Every structure is written in C-alpha cells, then in structure tokens.
C-alpha cells in the first residue's frame, strides 16, 4: 500500500492528537523519512520557474530540492517571532508564489518556535493569497516545554501539508516519516509516491508500529527529552564560559540545534577548517540561505555527551576569540535586547 500500513497510520493519528492535530488515518502517507515527504510535496506544488517562499535561514535539504526543481527561491528573514510577516505579504502580493515552506517548531537551523499568533497570521496570509503551506516539523516531539499546535491544526481549507518523522526521535536508519495531506492533494501525492518507490519498507513500518503499540516509544521520548534538555543546558553553560561576550545565540526549547550569529566579515570558513583540524565539525550558516547569501553564523548540535560539548565549545571559543581580537565588528540589529547574551539578534534584511 503506497500510503502505508493502516495500523501504523492509526497509531500516528492517535499520537498527533496529543500534539493538538486531529486527523484521520486516511489523511496520512507513510514516507521514507521526511526528506521523501519534502520531495513529494515540492514536486507536486512547484514547477520550474515558480516562486517559492522559505525562511532565511532554513533547512539546506529543502533548498537543494527546490534548486533541483528549478524554482525561484525567496528567502524571508527571520525575526525572534519567526518569518517576517510584513515582508511575506509583500512578496505574496508581488510574486504570487506557489508554496510557503516553514519549520514552525524548533526551526532548523535557529531552534526557534513560532507563537500561536504568528501561526494564525501566517495561515491567514496564505488563505488570502491562496498559497499552500508546507509545514516541516521533524523535531516537534523533542520538546522541553509545551509548544503551540501545528499550523495544520488551524487549517480549514486544505492549504497546509504537514511533515514529520521518526528519524529524529527513534532511529534514522528505519527511514519512516509521514505526511498529513487533506483534500484533493492526497490522491495526487499518493500517485507520485507509487511511481517513486511503490511503498515504504514494510519491515520498517512494522518495527515502528510494534514499538508504538508496546508503550516503549512514550517512555523513550521521556528519556530523550530529559537527556537533550541536559545536553542543551550543558552547551549553554559552555557557551557562557568559552565564547566571546560579543557573540549571540538562540536558546531553543526543544529540538537538536541552536544558532550562533557571528560578527560581520567574520572568516567563518577559515574557522571551520581550523576547528575541523581539531576534530570539531561546524555547520556554516551560509548553507542555510538561498544562494548561500546570508550573514556569518553557524549551527551547533547539542545532542552530544557533556565532555564532547565542553571540549568542542572550548576549541571553537578559542578560535572565535582569536578573530575577535583581530578587530572583527559585531553586527547590530533591531532585535538585539541589550545585555542578554542568550538572545540571538537575527538580521532583518
């Protein structure tokens, strides 16, 4: 069955109720990870030459799919609340894009989560301009505190396609993700799935289904959240100890990442190479912007043992201080909140 095993679809539908999203099992499509869901949805909604809205920064895998499709990508700058909605409406009016791609909860790479009000306003704009939304919430279940219901939960007009996965919470190698697709879009995407790979591995689906049925998944999530929260706190403490006071970063309430903004004209590629020589891998911020055009930044992953976090942040901190001492100037933006070093000032333009 290209849509996935019915038992697993029922279990996922029950699981989503706890996240504030009520759907029927018949609205679900089981995919080979959420990456396949991205590919199926983007290939369905977007044709070569179409305009597509994304957050800037955003997940580089989504950018790669859109570039491969020949789409024209508009990156809307992020604020601490999420995508800049004033700019979004300007582009919705002037360019009539065919899709809005958003990561509303534990955004990759910034770690930010949009508010309920922001979600409602984003959906209202999409409805006004009849533009579909692709909501990618791969990290939603790794939460340290309550988060708003997905945008899809507010959707009354079948404008939102929702994606998530077990890859981030259970086991990446199983490659089991899922889509929530309602209305006329469901059958069209099922047909694309059928042509793409016939169906997701029955063995992988059965493993996930058995794990959900046993109650182990719920207990596993509890442990995972506790461990990741401690790891996040370890990283925040290490950042305070080792990073220059001029540097800003986000404080996510879940997920796997936080985002560090660096001074203007900072030699991030040089720092990346020097860190790699000391066995520390950094994800440079440029990869998360359309056409790699963005401000200096880096994404840090905090789901590591405390000793590795301590060692890695210490190494990177020394490199940052070395270049700070050479006269790099920190960017000033309207989002800066004064003395609080744990609030990222994300560029508005």
């Amino acid at each position: 069955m290209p849509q996935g095993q019915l038992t697993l679809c029922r279990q996922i539908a029950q699981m989503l109720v706890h996240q504030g999203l009520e759907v029927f099992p018949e609205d679900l499509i089981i995919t080979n990870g959420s990456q396949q869901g991205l590919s199926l949805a983007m290939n369905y909604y977007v044709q070569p030459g179409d305009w597509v809205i994304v957050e800037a920064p955003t997940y580089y895998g989504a950018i790669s799919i859109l570039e491969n499709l020949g789409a024209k990508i508009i990156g809307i700058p992020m604020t601490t609340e999420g995508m800049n909605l004033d700019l979004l409406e300007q582009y919705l009016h002037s360019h009539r894009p065919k899709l809005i791609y958003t990561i509303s909860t534990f955004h990759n790479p910034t770690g930010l989560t949009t508010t309920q009000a922001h979600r409602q306003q984003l959906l209202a704009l999409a409805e006004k301009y009849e533009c579909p939304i692709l909501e990618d919430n791969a990290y939603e279940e790794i939460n340290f505190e309550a988060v708003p219901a997905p945008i899809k939960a507010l959707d009354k007009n079948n404008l939102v396609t929702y994606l998530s996965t077990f890859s981030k919470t259970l086991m990446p190698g199983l490659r089991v993700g899922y889509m929530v697709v309602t209305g006329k879009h469901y059958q069209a995407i099922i047909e694309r799935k059928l042509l793409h790979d016939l169906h997701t591995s029955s063995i992988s689906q059965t493993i996930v289904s058995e794990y959900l049925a046993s109650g182990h998944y719920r207990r596993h999530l509890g442990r995972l959240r506790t461990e990741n929260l401690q790891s996040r706190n370890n990283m925040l403490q290490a950042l305070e100890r080792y990073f220059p006071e001029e540097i800003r970063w986000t404080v996510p309430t879940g997920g796997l990442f936080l985002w560090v903004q660096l001074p203007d004209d900072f030699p991030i590629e040089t720092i990346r190479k020097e860190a790699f020589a000391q066995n520390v891998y950094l994800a440079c911020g440029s990869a998360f912007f359309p056409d790699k055009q963005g401000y200096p930044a880096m994404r840090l992953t905090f789901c590591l043992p405390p000793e590795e976090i301590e060692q890695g942040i210490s190494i990177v901190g020394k490199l940052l201080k070395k270049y700070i001492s050479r006269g790099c100037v920190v960017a000033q933006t309207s989002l800066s909140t004064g003395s609080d070093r744990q609030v990222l000032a994300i560029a508005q333009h």
Side-chain angles (χ1 to χ4, degrees):
M1 296 184 290
Q3 68 270 36
Q5 295 177 1
L6 181 57
T7 299
L8 180 57
C9 289
R10 286 172 176 162
Q11 291 169 315
I12 293 172
Q14 292 173 354
M15 187 178 72
L16 289 174
V17 170
H18 297 291
Q19 298 174 29
L21 177 55
E22 296 186 19
V23 297
F24 296 106
E26 294 76 17
D27 296 327
L28 283 153
I29 301 172
I30 307 300
T31 60
N32 280 290
S34 59
Q35 187 73 13
Q36 186 189 43
L38 284 175
S39 181
L40 290 172
M42 288 177 172
N43 275 273
Y44 171 66
Y45 287 112
V46 180
Q47 300 296 318
D50 286 345
W51 292 99
V52 176
I53 298 284
V54 304
E55 290 144 341
T58 192
Y59 171 49
Y60 57 79
I63 293 174
S64 297
I65 294 172
L66 291 170
E67 289 175 341
N68 188 59
L69 279 171
K72 299 176 181 177
I73 306 173
I74 301 169
I76 302 293
M78 292 278 285
T79 72
T80 53
E81 298 298 318
M83 184 188 300
N84 185 316
L85 295 178
D86 291 333
L87 280 177
L88 172 63
E89 182 163 22
Q90 291 178 30
Y91 280 106
L92 285 170
H93 178 75
S94 62
H95 287 67
R96 297 289 171 168
K98 296 299 179 65
L99 184 67
I100 299 169
Y101 171 67
T102 183
I103 307 171
S104 59
T105 305
F106 312 136
H107 179 264
N108 181 5
T110 67
L112 297 173
T113 296
T114 62
T115 63
Q116 180 76 9
H118 189 280
R119 296 174 190 221
Q120 291 170 334
Q121 294 168 35
L122 175 58
L123 180 59
L125 288 173
E127 290 172 343
K128 178 179 178 180
Y129 292 94
E130 300 180 336
C131 183
I133 295 173
L134 180 57
E135 183 180 19
D136 178 8
N137 277 7
Y139 308 94
E140 187 163 25
E141 288 195 283
I142 318 176
N143 58 302
F144 311 146
E145 55 187 63
V147 296
I151 300 171
K152 181 62 182 173
L154 307 170
D155 179 29
K156 306 301 181 186
N157 298 308
N158 302 319
L159 272 181
V160 182
T161 297
Y162 176 89
L163 301 176
S164 194
T165 181
F166 292 98
S167 294
K168 313 304 180 188
T169 57
L170 187 54
M171 188 184 297
L174 286 174
R175 306 309 304 145
V176 176
Y178 50 93
M179 310 173 70
V180 176
V181 187
T182 53
K184 65 181 180 180
H185 310 298
Y186 183 87
Q187 189 57 39
I189 292 179
I190 281 289
E191 291 173 3
R192 288 177 178 271
K193 167 75 172 168
L194 184 62
L195 292 173
H196 193 266
D197 66 355
L198 298 181
H199 64 90
T200 300
S201 166
S202 298
I203 295 174
S204 291
Q205 291 186 68
T206 301
I207 291 171
V208 173
S209 180
E210 287 292 322
Y211 200 69
L212 290 173
S214 70
H216 289 314
Y217 184 66
R218 184 177 63 254
R219 292 188 289 273
H220 166 72
L221 272 182
R223 290 192 301 269
L224 182 64
R225 289 164 179 157
T226 299
E227 292 169 0
N228 278 20
L229 174 59
Q230 184 59 52
S231 294
R232 185 211 65 171
N233 291 342
N234 289 337
M235 179 167 281
L236 292 176
Q237 291 163 10
L239 290 170
E240 288 283 357
R241 280 195 296 271
Y242 298 113
F243 271 30
E245 63 180 11
E246 296 88 348
I247 304 299
R248 301 289 184 268
W249 55 82
T250 55
V251 181
T253 57
L256 303 175
F257 312 114
L258 60 80
W259 183 247
V260 178
Q261 184 170 327
L262 301 173
D264 282 342
D265 302 319
F266 217 60
I268 181 60
E269 186 60 29
T270 300
I271 291 173
R272 186 192 68 81
K273 291 178 180 178
E274 292 184 17
F276 189 73
Q278 299 180 64
N279 296 319
V280 179
Y281 180 76
L282 298 176
C284 291
S286 60
F288 300 92
F289 291 91
D291 297 322
K292 294 183 169 51
Q293 298 299 310
Y295 51 83
M298 57 186 176
R299 187 190 72 178
L300 301 181
T301 304
F302 52 77
C303 56
L304 295 167
E307 62 276 8
E308 293 186 21
I309 290 175
E310 182 84 10
Q311 183 180 13
I313 296 300
S314 173
I315 291 169
V316 177
K318 290 176 183 176
L319 292 173
L320 294 177
K321 287 178 179 177
K322 179 174 73 172
Y323 287 97
I324 286 284
S325 68
R326 295 182 180 180
C328 293
V329 179
V330 177
Q332 297 296 321
T333 78
S334 59
L335 291 176
S336 181
T337 58
S339 61
D340 187 357
R341 295 181 61 210
Q342 293 186 351
V343 177
L344 171 67
I346 302 178
Q348 288 273 12
H349 300 288

